[in-house]
Amino acid sequence: MYQYNKHDQQSIEQRAAQFRGQVERFKTGDIDEDEFRALRLRNGLYYQIHAHMLRIAIPYGVVNANQMRMFGHICRTYDKGYGHFTTRQNLQINWPELEDVPSILEELATVQVHAIQTSGNCIRNITSDHLAGIATDEIEDPRPYCEILRHWSTFHPEFNWLPRKFKFAVTGAIEDRAAVQWHDIGLRLVKNDDGEVGFQVLVGGGMGRTPVIGKVICEFLEKRYIKSYVESILRVYNLHGRRDNKYKARIKILVNAMGIDTFRQEVEAEWELLKQDPSLWLEQEEIDAMKAQFEHPDESPKVSSSIEGIAVKDNNYDLWLSRNVEQTHVLDGYCATFISLKAQGEAPGDATSEQMEAIADIAEKFSRSEIRVTHEQNLVLPYVKTSELYALWMELNKHELATPNIGTLNDMICCPGLDFCSLANATTIPLAAAINERFNDLDELHNIGNIKLKMSGCMNACGHHHAGHIGILGVDKKGKEWYQITLGGSAENDSALGKRLGPAVKKEELVGALDTILNVYLEKRQQDESFQESVNRLGIEPFKEQVYASH
Amino acid sequence: MQVIKERIVIDYDLPESAIKIEPDTDLKEQLATLSEAPALIFDFSNYEEGRPYSQTRQLRTRFGFTGDIVALGARKDNVAMIERCGANIISAHEKYSADDLLPFFEEITDYYQPNY
């Protein structure tokens, strides 16, 4: 993975020192509440219902063992002994004291971690495919481009005060595991007819109150021009995006209002000059140097063994193998292993300090010291030798990290909800727990099969409910918590907006409604049909009829 | 008024024919007039208003403006960005003196954008 050079290191140390100065100046009244708000947000610090919340950047979800160990230390020393991995592949801690934050940033800087631009109306952490560099369906590894764009966007002087936040996602694979169609800018590495690799550029996707799937602004962009092209998009957005209403301020609203063709013309008018600036060219040498930072471990397993070759008689292990292990891997004898952060009774995405430290040790022992964070709020060990899977499973089990539910109903995306967030209308975590409790039978879960349940506590959609096969949205009705259900959404290649099932249901009816929906699926599915395939074939009517008949 | 020019505090008289640019001014439309002006004035005192950064940048690059770009209302935490985007005359926000801002140009010394 990418290692900082001395400039990278210096700039995050300077940023930590700068923030210490900003906190001190806020305390002495040199900067007022509103100014400080803008400044702290650009360093990932929110003020929520009960306390501050610090969002720590994990660029494109790649983290090493030392960094993970540091997260454990930070959560224990400055917080309540746990942290929350987010859908943007970041880590949030919910209870730091303002006075401690500069020290936290200084400690993070010692392991090449920061909180730069993890909130505020600026370019946020760039997300990517959690299987980047190891997936067999990849045209090219997206991580070098993510890092190049991380550099380009960090402390960009022109784009620190955008109309609204701005999110990039990059994928290099055929199968989209990074939800690129749901981002302000989505980049897909593609091959043209001449066999050259470049970018397909999408713009104006996003969830929130106005869910929109991104539109193609450029079918094929030469790599050389990636920085000048995105700079042009950002400039048009910065100048023309709405600033009078924060709910209309995202780039998706501007693109829809102008129309994609007019928007493209504006971008190209800016680009005409920018593309001629050699300092914005991405040359092959720079790409090669960056690629060298992401080379695979050179050590091949001495004995290459297949999963079937490991004779272990243990049902739980088998279940874990079938659910949590991605067997296809670019390196022979290796596989990728998921660590579910959706154990029974735990808030989705949460891990304790002890678990983080255990994961760091395990990654050192089993996965070339590398860990990935997925946008579905789980972790991945990307370089596990197939021959060591059983030993790994035993180790994970000791720390309650071997829950075999990846891709199942219980592997849900969930925002923090009313318990932590001042924007939320409804609780989500207690409901996630209730759903987990109802569907705690592994046989039943596995019978239901692959399904993406996504839940948000308000229409800002941090839990990606629009893109859930089953989406749940918390709404407030006269002070009571109700839940709107949608079916058929997706964040993958077939990206789609979920369709509303009908009127919202009461909190106490939600689990029952889910039960009914799943029963309709189980009754009507054909052979190996997944839930999503059934919904696509049947439409929402049969589900609707049953849910509202029984409630 | 006292301003910062090339990171030195100097006295500066705004030329009478200087033109104030609003965040929603379409520079392209008014380019003929603007390019004749000895100085263009941008107000940065609304902290979260990001358009002047792109406008000044556009003037210096796309539109090749060579006169003074005067930034009003600069504060400690945005003065470096204002300078990087093309303003060459920087006047401090009313709560600061020009001298107050001087130490804040170099809090971060190495940037990733060589073109700024």
Side-chain angles (χ1 to χ4, degrees), chain A residues 32 51 87 436:
Chain A
D32 64 28
T87 56
N436 259 322

Side-chain angles (χ1 to χ4, degrees), chain B residues 57-113:
Chain B
R57 178 69 183 164
Q58 259 187 335
L59 277 169
R60 283 291 186 230
T61 56
R62 185 171 166 192
F63 302 132
F65 182 73
T66 53
D68 281 344
I69 292 185
V70 181
L72 305 179
R75 300 182 219 196
K76 293 173 181 174
D77 295 292
N78 62 9
V79 68
M81 286 178 262
I82 290 171
E83 182 195 49
R84 290 175 69 206
C85 284
N88 63 316
I89 304 287
I90 298 171
S91 158
H93 188 273
E94 58 189 16
K95 66 181 187 175
Y96 298 117
S97 72
D99 283 310
D100 290 338
L101 302 190
L102 283 180
F104 291 87
F105 281 100
E106 298 238 339
E107 283 196 309
I108 288 165
T109 48
D110 217 351
Y111 290 107
Y112 292 106
Q113 300 81 18

Side-chain angles (χ1 to χ4, degrees), chain A residues 17 24-26 33 40 49 53 56 62 89 98 113 122 169 193 264 302 332 339 416 428 458 463 475 492:
Chain A
E24 280 162 15
R25 284 188 281 126
F26 172 56
E33 190 92 34
R40 66 170 161 74
I49 300 175
M53 182 273 275
I56 297 165
V62 179
Q89 302 176 301
L98 174 61
V113 175
C122 53
D193 293 341
R264 184 184 296 112
K302 291 191 181 68
D332 274 350
I339 296 175
T428 49
C458 76
V475 289
E492 293 161 60

Side-chain angles (χ1 to χ4, degrees), chain A residues 7-8 10 14 18 22 25 30 35 151-152 154-155 158 161 231 235 238 243 270 273 279, chain B residues 47-48 50-51 54 57-58 62 75-77 84 95-96 107-110 112-113 115-116:
Chain A
H7 301 294
D8 298 322
Q10 178 186 283
Q14 288 179 335
Q18 182 183 48
Q22 289 168 344
R25 284 188 281 126
D30 183 55
E35 284 174 271
H151 285 184
W152 165 80
T154 299
F155 309 137
E158 193 180 330
W161 310 96
E231 192 154 302
R235 181 170 298 161
N238 192 37
R243 290 172 184 266
E270 282 301 328
L273 184 78
S279 75
Chain B
Y47 210 31
E48 306 231 23
R51 285 173 288 186
S54 280
R57 178 69 183 164
Q58 259 187 335
R62 185 171 166 192
R75 300 182 219 196
K76 293 173 181 174
D77 295 292
R84 290 175 69 206
K95 66 181 187 175
Y96 298 117
E107 283 196 309
I108 288 165
T109 48
D110 217 351
Y112 292 106
Q113 300 81 18
N115 53 329
Y116 283 81

Side-chain angles (χ1 to χ4, degrees), chain A residues 184 203-204 215 250-261 263:
Chain A
D184 296 293
V203 69
K215 297 169 183 70
R250 294 287 289 271
I251 194 172
K252 61 192 173 190
I253 304 290
L254 178 66
V255 172
N256 280 353
M258 286 174 88
I260 184 69
D261 294 325
F263 184 79

Side-chain angles (χ1 to χ4, degrees), chain A residues 39-73:
Chain A
L39 295 172
R40 66 170 161 74
L41 283 177
R42 278 155 184 81
N43 223 355
L45 191 64
Y46 286 74
Y47 192 75
Q48 298 279 21
I49 300 175
H50 311 287
H52 285 93
M53 182 273 275
L54 178 66
R55 184 178 294 144
I56 297 165
I58 303 179
Y60 39 95
V62 179
V63 53
N64 67 29
N66 280 337
Q67 294 168 335
M68 187 61 85
R69 197 169 284 119
M70 176 60 84
F71 294 159
H73 161 74

Side-chain angles (χ1 to χ4, degrees), chain A residues 282-296:
Chain A
L282 177 58
E283 300 287 18
Q284 193 58 44
E285 287 163 20
E286 188 183 344
I287 297 173
D288 291 342
M290 191 55 87
K291 278 186 177 173
Q293 296 263 1
F294 294 94
E295 273 177 5
H296 291 303

Side-chain angles (χ1 to χ4, degrees), chain A residues 185-427:
Chain A
I185 288 184
L187 298 173
R188 236 189 223 136
L189 283 152
V190 292
K191 223 175 235 179
N192 68 7
D193 293 341
D194 298 326
E196 294 162 330
V197 177
F199 292 98
Q200 184 192 53
V201 184
L202 295 109
V203 69
M207 300 204 192
R209 293 167 187 240
T210 316
V212 183
I213 290 174
K215 297 169 183 70
V216 175
I217 182 167
C218 181
E219 275 296 352
F220 186 85
L221 179 70
E222 276 180 65
K223 287 176 185 173
R224 162 180 279 206
Y225 298 123
I226 185 65
K227 287 190 263 186
S228 57
Y229 198 82
V230 295
E231 192 154 302
S232 306
I233 293 176
L234 264 298
R235 181 170 298 161
V236 171
Y237 170 55
N238 192 37
L239 285 169
H240 301 293
R242 282 181 64 172
R243 290 172 184 266
D244 59 326
N245 178 346
K246 77 173 196 170
Y247 301 116
K248 306 268 183 209
R250 294 287 289 271
I251 194 172
K252 61 192 173 190
I253 304 290
L254 178 66
V255 172
N256 280 353
M258 286 174 88
I260 184 69
D261 294 325
T262 309
F263 184 79
R264 184 184 296 112
Q265 280 167 18
E266 287 286 326
V267 168
E268 289 186 351
E270 282 301 328
W271 189 46
E272 206 45 49
L273 184 78
L274 284 179
K275 72 189 285 196
Q276 294 171 37
D277 179 350
S279 75
L280 282 174
W281 290 347
L282 177 58
E283 300 287 18
Q284 193 58 44
E285 287 163 20
E286 188 183 344
I287 297 173
D288 291 342
M290 191 55 87
K291 278 186 177 173
Q293 296 263 1
F294 294 94
E295 273 177 5
H296 291 303
D298 46 10
E299 170 200 337
S300 278
K302 291 191 181 68
V303 186
S304 167
S305 55
S306 68
I307 286 179
E308 292 75 22
I310 307 165
V312 177
K313 286 203 167 49
D314 188 319
N315 282 344
N316 289 331
Y317 174 64
D318 288 343
L319 215 50
W320 177 81
L321 271 186
S322 69
R323 273 286 152 200
N324 293 30
V325 177
E326 174 57 60
Q327 296 183 38
T328 54
H329 196 288
V330 286
L331 299 181
D332 274 350
Y334 281 90
C335 52
T337 303
F338 286 78
I339 296 175
S340 167
L341 297 180
K342 317 285 174 70
Q344 182 83 39
E346 299 299 330
D350 276 13
T352 64
S353 288
E354 290 70 28
Q355 285 177 322
M356 292 179 199
E357 284 157 350
I359 290 163
D361 292 343
I362 288 169
E364 276 171 352
K365 198 168 166 191
F366 292 98
S367 182
R368 304 285 305 181
S369 298
E370 192 175 319
I371 304 135
R372 308 278 179 86
V373 183
T374 79
H375 87 269
E376 293 179 340
Q377 301 178 282
N378 292 308
L379 304 177
V380 172
L381 297 171
Y383 292 107
V384 176
K385 290 175 188 166
T386 310
S387 56
E388 294 180 349
L389 277 169
Y390 187 67
L392 168 65
W393 177 73
M394 299 278 280
E395 203 69 37
L396 289 171
N397 250 330
K398 281 189 211 160
H399 305 280
E400 293 175 40
L401 292 167
T403 311
N405 62 357
I406 296 296
T408 68
L409 185 74
N410 280 354
D411 182 13
M412 67 187 89
I413 293 185
C414 181
C415 75
L418 201 53
D419 297 297
F420 293 95
C421 177
S422 47
L423 301 174
N425 290 323
T427 49

